[in-house]
Amino acid sequence: QRRLSISKFRHVYGKPASKEKCYDCVPITCSVHDNHFCAVNPHFIAVVTECAGGGAFLVIPIHQTGKLDPHYPRVCGHKGNVLDIKWSPFDDFVIASCSEDATVKIWDIPKHLLTRNITSARKELLGHARRVGLIEWHPTASNILFSTGYDYKIMIWNLDTKEPIIQNPVKTISCHKDVILSMSFNTDGSLLATACRDRKIRLMDPRSGAVLQVCWVDPQ
């Protein structure tokens, strides 16, 4: 007879933290669709926020909990809603954002507390014909960023250049025939998986763009 193992967490119950230990009064956006509206690293939490006349996000020191000042500075420079934000895995003070304005921007975040809005990005990536919905940093190659747009393309960008505006990606992968809903690397960045609205999951080589495997997702 098999003995059932009893979880040591069976009688553990959590309780909400006090307001002083929460991030309170943060105006979270309703426009990121199915994407993540926040990103965190060891120093900051970034949150896409509602903003009239364009897209913006907040960058709050991770230990600065409690009620947020309604006039707290924002990172704002997109002309449309921000749809995704991702911290660089190699530099905790660099973050990328993409937007409905079909651009990707790279921002330098100061180490001291923000005192005014950040409106000038370090780099602007121009290449997508329609809004850019997802971005992912390569996990092992520094300054390599992947972006996907509603033009069904994946673009690979090399940020290790002096130009503030980059118009030509290193490579464009055009194997998708519908909107890409998510993408993810394996640990060493040798494989890239994408989920598409055509109900297919594709496994590909991010260097060559070659599709190595395709599987259908059963809607049932």
Side-chain angles (χ1 to χ4, degrees), residues 8 26 51 57 66 97 99 104 118 133 149 177 179 181 184 186 199:
K8 59 184 178 181
V26 178
C51 181
F57 58 95
S97 63
S99 168
V104 179
I118 298 177
K177 303 301 180 184
V179 177
L181 302 177
S184 181
N186 64 345
R199 296 177 181 172

Side-chain angles (χ1 to χ4, degrees), residues 55-134:
F57 58 95
L58 297 165
V59 175
I60 308 168
I62 201 164
H63 299 298
Q64 185 181 319
T65 55
K67 188 174 182 180
L68 186 73
D69 185 338
H71 303 293
Y72 188 85
R74 288 173 165 82
V75 180
C76 48
H78 284 288
K79 297 178 181 178
N81 291 323
V82 175
L83 299 180
D84 196 12
I85 48 176
K86 293 285 167 58
W87 290 103
S88 167
F90 295 93
D91 190 335
D92 288 340
F93 300 93
V94 173
I95 190 170
S97 63
C98 63
S99 168
E100 289 182 347
D101 63 10
T103 69
V104 179
K105 294 180 186 284
I106 311 299
W107 308 87
D108 289 319
I109 304 301
K111 295 183 180 181
H112 57 78
L113 191 66
L114 291 183
T115 57
R116 58 186 177 85
N117 289 348
I118 298 177
T119 56
S120 297
R122 190 220 301 174
K123 290 188 183 295
E124 185 173 8
L125 315 182
L126 306 175
H128 286 283
R130 300 181 65 187
R131 62 184 179 180
V132 186
L134 293 169

